[in-house]
Amino acid sequence: WRKRTLPLTQMFPPSPSLQQIQFADQKQEFNKRPTKIGRRSLSRSISQSSTDSYSSAASYTDSSDDETSPRDKQQKNSKGSSDFCIKNIKQTDFGRREIEIAEQEMPALMALRKRAQGEKPLAGAKVVGCTHITAQTAVLIETLTALGAQCRWAACNIYSTQNEVAAALAERGLSVFAWKGESEDDFWWCIDRCVNLEGWQPKMILDDGGDLTHWIYKKYPNMFKKIKGIVEESVTGVHRLYQLSKAGKLCVPAMNVNDSVTKQKFDNLYCCRESILDGLKRTTDVMFGGKQAVVCGYGEVGKGCSAALKAMGAIVYVTEIDPICALQACMDGFRLVKLSEVIRQVDIVITCTGNKNVVVRENLDRMKNGCIVCNMGHSNTEIDVASLRTPELTWERVRSQVDHVIWPDGKRIVLLAEGRLLNLSCSTVPTFVLSITATTQALALIELYNAPEGRYKQDVYLLPKKMGNMHEYIFLGHFLDEYLSEEQAKYLGLNKNGPFKPNYYR
């Protein structure tokens, strides 16, 4: 062994200078954070949800210093089409590889594509979408195309787009208008470009947050009236649909995917159970064993977060206002507290209520030195971050999406993602879970598009239980026990092929 030993300089050659390794997203975060964002002429009053959360997950980015806005570029794919606006069409190969990896972990969606692409259940459907543009949602978009849909897409969030994935979609001929780091004006411009094409009347809307729906409703009312159906995934977007319905202004049927069993039981619970730890580890390298954490809210997201922290050896407290959820927390072995009772002693504070001002300045002032504060709810309203932007407090950027907020006496808290959604801001979410949600979205589109006249009125609906069960059968069919016998089905008063739960089951 000694005879084969090489000099250290040969075994470990010097690495390139750190100054040569610059990532585009970090450069933007550190060097440009204080600068003004251009092109803000369009009104932002329609929605605040597009900047409620964003992703800083690992993503291939061009190492060049070209900061030209995609709006000022003329790009074409290999077929000569220019009906898209993305960061760099040359990144298509990287994006295609990421999509192929995602396909391996999305069996339900791929099985739906294989099963239904011969029937083309979305043939003739012009679908306009506004979601996160990632490798996982790319699999959904390409599945919709395989099922016969014509798609135009924009991003629901100014930071979550994977540029290489957008390039791969554009290369395949899809009209995509999105890039990572859009300004707010860019955001609305992309949505408008997605919608406003001469002679193109969308029939279906697939939305995440409600921005696309409200843009069409406000700017193109005649177009909105001709929409056949809306599919909405997020709690914020669903809330806005119910507001339109209550006011008598919703003139098309809409499907509430957020409150479907597949979304609540899988995406909200199991996704957050895994991604909360991932987000905290990537940003803080914290050890959970022995730490005291308080989880604000014990819905499906709170249940997932609490279970994950408990399993890692943390001491977990729960705050809750709903008596049913509060009792569930007690039965699961968590101590139910008021936030004011434990705020001085806990090491980690996690909000996941979907509400606003859950953690306010008074709470932040009383936190111990080094307390980690983050949000797992949909929007950035749960932590009163605005109250921390005062002259007496100092903000210190530690790393991407991690800030120290320092008080005059030297106390500091660790604020993650400026109070935005932790798992999409600081890590990623499990692809398999996204497969479940994406398949539910695809089934909802198929149901609304093919529904006979009169089945759905101008209101908000939950996905029919039979359609939801179809999702599980697509993936789990070869694992499930045999169907009920005729005798068993009659005894339970059910169809032997399902569904096996009533529509009100949650």
Side-chain angles (χ1 to χ4, degrees):
W1 182 84
R2 290 182 178 178
K3 291 181 180 179
R4 295 183 180 182
T5 301
L6 296 174
L8 289 177
T9 55
Q10 295 183 34
M11 294 175 64
F12 304 100
S15 59
S17 169
L18 290 177
Q19 293 180 352
Q20 297 174 359
I21 305 176
Q22 295 182 346
F23 296 91
D25 57 342
Q26 291 178 336
K27 191 171 184 180
Q28 180 179 3
E29 285 288 336
F30 285 89
N31 297 345
K32 294 201 166 185
R33 188 163 169 256
T35 63
K36 296 181 179 179
I37 300 176
R39 293 194 176 109
R40 292 183 180 267
S41 59
L42 291 177
S43 172
R44 192 69 176 106
S45 61
I46 294 179
S47 169
Q48 290 294 329
S49 68
S50 66
T51 53
D52 285 348
S53 61
Y54 56 90
S55 172
S56 64
S59 175
Y60 174 84
T61 52
D62 191 353
S63 59
S64 71
D65 291 329
D66 180 16
E67 296 181 4
T68 305
S69 169
R71 292 168 62 172
D72 300 326
K73 295 180 180 179
Q74 294 293 328
Q75 300 185 78
K76 293 184 179 181
N77 62 16
S78 60
K79 298 177 182 178
S81 173
S82 60
D83 187 22
F84 61 86
C85 189
I86 60 173
K87 184 68 174 178
N88 187 352
I89 191 64
K90 295 179 181 179
Q91 295 179 4
T92 180
D93 290 341
F94 293 95
R96 181 50 51 189
R97 292 169 198 161
E98 292 200 22
I99 294 171
E100 290 171 353
I101 292 173
E103 289 176 345
Q104 302 302 311
E105 189 67 5
M106 303 184 80
L109 197 58
M110 297 302 293
L112 176 64
R113 182 191 298 186
K114 182 178 180 181
R115 174 181 294 191
Q117 64 181 355
E119 303 170 8
K120 302 290 184 186
L122 292 175
K126 294 182 177 180
V127 181
V128 59
C130 185
T131 65
H132 300 283
I133 296 181
T134 62
Q136 294 81 13
T137 52
V139 179
L140 169 62
I141 296 168
E142 292 186 341
T143 297
L144 299 179
T145 303
L147 301 187
Q150 302 175 41
C151 298
R152 298 179 66 82
W153 228 263
C156 70
N157 187 282
I158 63 177
Y159 290 107
S160 64
T161 298
Q162 291 178 269
N163 289 329
E164 67 277 16
V165 170
L169 290 172
E171 176 60 28
R172 285 287 175 93
L174 285 155
S175 300
V176 179
F177 303 89
W179 59 92
K180 187 181 180 71
E182 300 168 5
S183 69
E184 293 178 10
D185 182 65
D186 290 333
F187 173 80
W188 294 115
W189 179 87
C190 286
I191 287 180
D192 195 67
R193 278 291 307 274
C194 186
V195 172
N196 187 17
L197 178 67
E198 186 176 355
W200 203 82
Q201 166 66 48
K203 285 295 183 183
M204 308 295 295
I205 295 175
L206 179 57
D207 212 351
D208 185 352
D211 288 320
L212 173 60
T213 300
H214 277 253
W215 183 259
I216 299 176
Y217 172 76
K218 294 285 188 180
K219 293 276 290 185
Y220 305 101
N222 292 330
M223 178 186 291
F224 189 74
K225 293 175 183 177
K226 297 177 183 178
I227 298 289
K228 188 170 184 180
I230 301 169
V231 174
E232 172 58 55
E233 185 212 354
S234 75
V235 63
T236 299
V238 167
H239 177 65
R240 296 161 75 183
L241 285 173
Y242 279 122
Q243 286 180 324
L244 282 177
S245 178
K246 187 177 180 179
K249 298 179 180 179
L250 184 63
C251 55
V252 297
M255 196 71 78
N256 170 4
V257 168
N258 178 72
D259 292 314
S260 65
V261 175
T262 49
K263 174 69 161 57
Q264 289 287 324
K265 295 295 184 183
F266 295 96
D267 198 329
N268 292 10
L269 175 60
Y270 299 117
C271 169
C272 295
R273 190 174 70 180
E274 296 196 15
S275 58
I276 179 64
L277 301 179
D278 189 19
L280 287 169
K281 281 288 188 182
R282 291 198 198 196
T283 51
T284 67
D285 303 310
V286 63
M287 181 173 182
F288 299 109
K291 292 292 191 301
Q292 297 187 63
V294 59
V295 176
C296 302
Y298 202 69
E300 299 304 322
V301 174
K303 288 180 176 68
C305 294
S306 300
L309 292 167
K310 181 180 180 181
M312 294 300 292
I315 302 165
V316 182
Y317 306 101
V318 171
T319 70
E320 180 56 72
I321 61 166
D322 185 291
I324 295 177
C325 293
L327 184 58
Q328 287 178 313
C330 292
M331 296 297 102
D332 288 337
F334 298 106
R335 182 183 168 191
L336 196 66
V337 298
K338 294 180 179 179
L339 184 60
S340 58
E341 295 175 352
V342 296
I343 196 64
R344 289 185 181 276
Q345 66 194 59
V346 293
D347 304 289
I348 305 170
V349 177
I350 303 169
T351 58
C352 38
T353 68
N355 208 333
K356 64 180 296 185
N357 294 336
V358 178
V359 175
V360 295
R361 178 60 187 268
E362 179 184 358
N363 304 129
L364 296 161
D365 286 337
R366 298 177 62 201
M367 289 178 182
K368 65 189 292 186
N369 183 52
C371 183
I372 299 170
V373 186
C374 63
N375 169 49
M376 282 289 285
H378 178 77
S379 66
N380 63 346
T381 59
E382 301 205 35
I383 302 168
D384 187 11
V385 176
S387 68
L388 297 175
R389 300 191 184 279
T390 55
E392 74 273 13
L393 300 183
T394 302
W395 283 61
E396 180 180 81
R397 175 53 56 97
V398 180
R399 58 174 72 161
S400 180
Q401 317 304 348
V402 182
D403 288 291
H404 281 167
V405 182
I406 307 171
W407 269 250
D409 63 358
K411 185 199 86 169
R412 64 184 64 198
I413 64 170
V414 182
L415 180 64
L416 304 183
E418 298 184 17
R420 296 178 174 89
L421 184 60
L422 176 70
N423 56 4
L424 283 173
S425 301
C426 304
S427 61
T428 58
V429 295
T431 299
F432 181 80
V433 168
L434 293 182
S435 174
I436 296 172
T437 301
T439 305
T440 306
Q441 290 172 304
L443 289 172
L445 281 173
I446 293 171
E447 170 67 14
L448 279 179
Y449 184 68
N450 292 282
E453 191 74 25
R455 176 181 291 179
Y456 296 106
K457 302 187 185 301
Q458 299 169 353
D459 205 348
V460 184
Y461 294 85
L462 293 173
L463 186 70
K465 189 67 62 177
K466 186 174 182 179
M467 295 295 292
N469 278 10
M470 186 186 300
H471 173 278
E472 280 82 3
Y473 284 126
I474 287 173
F475 175 65
L476 295 173
H478 58 291
F479 292 120
L480 295 175
D481 199 354
E482 296 180 3
Y483 291 126
L484 295 174
S485 67
E486 293 287 354
E487 183 181 0
Q488 289 173 321
K490 184 177 180 180
Y491 179 77
L492 295 174
L494 300 172
N495 186 308
K496 64 176 295 184
N497 298 323
F500 305 106
K501 295 288 192 297
N503 284 330
Y504 55 79
Y505 171 74
R506 289 293 170 264

